Amino acid sequence: MKGTDLQSEPDGDSAPLFGSWPKAYCVALGIFAFEIVLFYAFTVVFS
Amino acid sequence: MNQLDYVVLIATILAIPLYGLWRTRGRETLGHYIKGDESIRWATIGLSVLATQAGPITFLSMPGQAYESGIGFVQNYFGQPFALITVCAVFVPIFQRLKVYTAYEYLGQRFDQKTRLLGAFLFLIQRGLAAGITIYAPAIILSALLGWRLNLTIWLAGGLVVAYTAFGGTKIVSITQRYQILIIFVGMALAFIIAVHRLPAGLSFGRALTVAGGMGKLQAVDFSLDPDRRYTFWSGIFGGFFLALSYFGADQSQVQRYLAGGSLTASRFGLLFNAVVKVPMQFLILLLGAMVFLFYQFEEPPIYFNRPAYDRAIALGHGAELNELQAEFDDVFARKRDLLSLSGVSSASRQEILQLDAKARELRDRAKAVLERAGASPKSKDSDYVFITFVLQHLPHGVVGLLIAVILCATMSATAATLNALGSTSAVDFYRPLIRPNAPDHHYVVATELLTIAWGLVAIGVASYASLVENLIETGNILGSIFYGSILGLFLVAFFLRSVRGSAVFFAALLAQCLVLILFWTLSISYLWYNLIGCAAVLVFSLALQRTIFAKSSPA
């Protein structure tokens, strides 16, 4: 069994709304980055 | 608690499992019992993953953590979004494509049977013990403050979970977790609103945040590279990533949640939902703790929140000493409150307020030392009693019952996921291949139900004897860190080191686990490091063994 062969995307599998899974991951990371910016702004304003 | 509280509490904790039982009635196949059916959508998976991780400790300890040290603890979760995306991209497609019931089944397909059994065995030991701690931790706190009998609390919470988890399998766990986490959200939101509402008139929410920030409680992000700082952005990103990857990638209690339903898209969306929601949720829980801290700047807090332990010390003859500390604490509190009421945290008063706050903390530490000398020291940190004391003493009736239900819902949802995983792993990875290989499907469903009940009894047994364990709440994390590294190492070798075969990785994992146990007994480093050490050791040892002792078994 070659484990890494299994990591390729299944045929025809795409992320609804985003087009592809890498794009969906980038959107999730973008939202997380925005959260960090908000937390940092919160720290600066209130500390 | 009054009758209204008990009505709300009992109705909440019984209604959800009863609804779940109704939704999952009827006979099932093993596939449905372990992985649920296609009616489980991504939102249910997302909430289920969230509920599995957010155990009772999250809701009891986190606000107390912020009360003591501020909200910087949120940085510990910063590695999670990266880990969840890694799991989405690497782990989930493999598990879904092979249609495995458990993560360890994949190890059997990639390596051999003994490696699969080793991974499953390490998981069973770690989670079997941790399930007991999950039940015991809230039970000891609730029984102490509410006067409930400890064993009765353990059996009521544990027994209910065992019954519905064994009956309904993964589908009931997912359905009940969806509603339990919603109850938790509502309860915590109400507590937050009431905490803000109970602040003195004239102290707006914005000004309250300024005061809490001025007292050092609102530093959410710290980019410092100082290794002595306990929580920083960098330690959260790197340490948190590794811990979360172990947890979400190699722990069956989580793997079973996101494999529920059997759709790759639903699994991935459920995990991505957690990647964006988990950190803000922890932030808000910690912010609630900061609001409770602020509330207790104007309403006098007890010098020691665990009142039963405090009363035991008085009964043991340390009353005079504690009364003296209490009088000094009262004086410090009054001076601090007057300063805050007069000017908030202005540049002129800030230094004095911080000094008084440090003095109050010192008095609390001295009270704790008295309790320890008296032999009345409890098994959990006093900060774990902060939030529940606030709930019991300052929230209106009805809401108190709801918040106790929140704690029990969190206990039940985390325990149900664990028991479900323990029963499934025992049946699929041990019972089916080793004891009854070719039985009808229904036989395995019954076997999984019985094994889930057996693990439930083990968990309740561990909970009944958990009082023998010192520093109770840390114990769950330590157990995880000791075993997670080796388990994750097995999966990383499987995914990324294609030349390594079964025997090499099997003995590498055994050696790595022995190394971690030896280091654990001989060194005094932070337990989080054992994740990294265990995983790295499996990778290095397996490569070394494959190229030396097991070189002949390498693929051509």
Side-chain angles (χ1 to χ4, degrees), chain A residues 4 8-9 21 35 43 46, chain B residues 97 213 220 268 276 495 498:
Chain A
T4 45
S8 56
E9 288 297 321
W21 284 108
E35 289 166 3
T43 302
F46 294 112
Chain B
R97 192 177 290 197
R268 281 174 155 168
V276 298
F495 295 148
R498 297 176 64 180

Side-chain angles (χ1 to χ4, degrees), chain A residues 4-45:
Chain A
T4 45
D5 289 346
L6 292 161
Q7 289 166 26
S8 56
E9 288 297 321
D11 293 339
D13 185 67
S14 60
L17 300 176
F18 300 99
S20 72
W21 284 108
K23 275 188 194 166
Y25 302 151
C26 287
V27 170
L29 282 179
I31 294 172
F32 174 61
F34 180 66
E35 289 166 3
I36 296 288
V37 170
L38 286 182
F39 294 152
Y40 185 64
F42 185 85
T43 302
V44 171
V45 170

Side-chain angles (χ1 to χ4, degrees), chain A residues 42 46, chain B residues 195-197 199-200 202-215 217-218 287 290-291 293-295 297-298 340 344-345:
Chain A
F42 185 85
F46 294 112
Chain B
V196 173
H197 180 71
L199 292 173
L203 189 67
S204 66
F205 182 55
R207 187 146 172 271
L209 290 176
T210 308
V211 173
M215 296 184 75
K217 299 295 178 189
L218 296 187
L287 192 61
M291 288 300 112
F293 168 82
L294 204 57
F295 171 81
Q297 301 311 302
F298 298 96
L340 283 167
V345 184

Side-chain angles (χ1 to χ4, degrees), chain B residues 542-556:
Chain B
S542 61
L543 272 177
L545 288 172
Q546 188 63 57
R547 287 177 186 177
T548 54
I549 298 171
F550 298 105
K552 284 182 185 171
S553 66
S554 290

Side-chain angles (χ1 to χ4, degrees), chain B residues 62-292:
Chain B
M62 285 281 168
Q65 171 84 27
Y67 181 95
E68 293 283 356
S69 320
I71 65 172
F73 190 79
V74 72
Q75 293 167 111
N76 270 15
Y77 296 90
F78 284 0
Q80 274 203 15
F82 298 99
L84 285 161
I85 287 170
T86 306
V87 171
C88 278
V90 179
F91 289 64
V92 180
I94 295 175
F95 293 154
Q96 287 286 21
R97 192 177 290 197
L98 292 175
K99 301 196 180 306
V100 291
Y101 289 142
T102 72
Y104 317 108
E105 219 180 334
Y106 162 68
L107 293 177
Q109 296 186 28
R110 165 68 175 83
F111 297 118
D112 52 28
Q113 185 70 355
K114 65 179 180 298
T115 309
R116 169 191 186 178
L117 294 179
L118 177 63
F121 179 70
L122 292 175
F123 165 74
L124 291 177
I125 296 180
Q126 189 264 114
R127 272 289 151 193
L129 294 172
I133 305 284
T134 305
I135 296 173
Y136 179 73
I140 182 72
I141 292 169
L142 293 179
S143 63
L145 294 180
L146 296 171
W148 298 350
R149 283 176 54 197
L150 177 61
N151 275 343
L152 189 67
T153 312
I154 288 170
W155 273 95
L156 279 178
L160 184 60
V161 177
V162 174
Y164 76 74
T165 306
F167 186 84
T170 289
K171 189 171 178 184
I172 198 169
V173 173
S174 297
I175 290 172
T176 51
Q177 282 185 318
R178 182 173 66 189
Y179 293 102
Q180 283 161 343
I181 196 79
L182 291 175
I183 290 289
I184 288 168
F185 286 158
V186 170
M188 297 304 274
L190 273 175
F192 192 98
I193 291 165
I194 294 170
V196 173
H197 180 71
R198 295 291 303 270
L199 292 173
L203 189 67
S204 66
F205 182 55
R207 187 146 172 271
L209 290 176
T210 308
V211 173
M215 296 184 75
K217 299 295 178 189
L218 296 187
Q219 187 169 18
V221 184
D222 179 1
F223 288 109
S224 165
L225 292 170
D226 181 356
D228 291 334
R229 296 259 181 124
R230 204 166 168 196
Y231 310 118
T232 68
F233 177 83
W234 307 111
S235 70
I237 289 280
F238 294 110
F241 170 78
F242 204 77
L243 186 62
L245 191 61
S246 308
Y247 179 56
F248 289 105
D251 187 313
Q252 178 64 16
S253 66
Q254 276 296 359
V255 173
Q256 199 158 353
R257 305 282 71 73
Y258 58 75
L259 293 186
S263 148
L264 178 63
T265 300
S267 300
R268 281 174 155 168
F269 270 132
L271 289 171
L272 288 181
F273 168 78
N274 277 266
V276 298
V277 163
K278 176 71 180 172
V279 177
M281 184 186 103
Q282 295 300 145
F283 174 82
L284 289 172
I285 293 170
L286 287 161
L287 192 61
L288 166 61
M291 288 300 112
V292 172

